[in-house]
Amino acid sequence: MKARFSQQQLPVKIIQKDGTAYVYICQNETQGQETYPDMGEGQTTETYYEYDYNEIIGPADALPLEDIQAHPEQYLNYEYTENK
């Protein structure tokens, strides 16, 4: 999936809370500009940063966090599923 941000993102951001890991992967940055109409006659141009993006949420002890940090490009399509 693609995601667009108004600021540059880290390639991998991992937040751990109460035993759960929230992993945000942003790869292959492209930068662009988009122009929006203002009130009246003006226009505003904003810079954006677009990434190949994935979010992974799961138990911190069940996700390969070190490998995700080392090789985020391999996890762009990864989806955590609980083994029952």
Side-chain angles (χ1 to χ4, degrees), residues 2-37:
K2 294 276 190 187
R4 190 179 282 189
F5 298 88
S6 60
Q7 297 179 347
Q8 287 183 299
Q9 301 295 303
L10 295 171
V12 178
K13 182 177 180 180
I14 299 173
I15 299 171
Q16 294 187 50
K17 183 175 181 187
D18 299 329
T20 300
Y22 303 85
V23 181
Y24 306 94
I25 300 173
C26 292
Q27 295 287 291
N28 307 316
E29 175 186 291
T30 58
Q31 185 176 346
Q33 293 188 331
E34 205 160 51
T35 302
Y36 303 95

Side-chain angles (χ1 to χ4, degrees), residues 16-68:
Q16 294 187 50
K17 183 175 181 187
D18 299 329
T20 300
Y22 303 85
V23 181
Y24 306 94
I25 300 173
C26 292
Q27 295 287 291
N28 307 316
E29 175 186 291
T30 58
Q31 185 176 346
Q33 293 188 331
E34 205 160 51
T35 302
Y36 303 95
D38 280 343
M39 299 284 282
E41 300 294 320
Q43 291 191 347
T44 298
T45 300
E46 292 187 5
T47 299
Y48 65 83
Y49 304 89
E50 193 169 78
Y51 298 90
D52 292 329
Y53 180 78
N54 193 15
E55 289 182 15
I56 304 166
I57 302 171
D61 60 355
L63 292 174
L65 298 178
E66 288 181 20
D67 197 52
I68 292 171

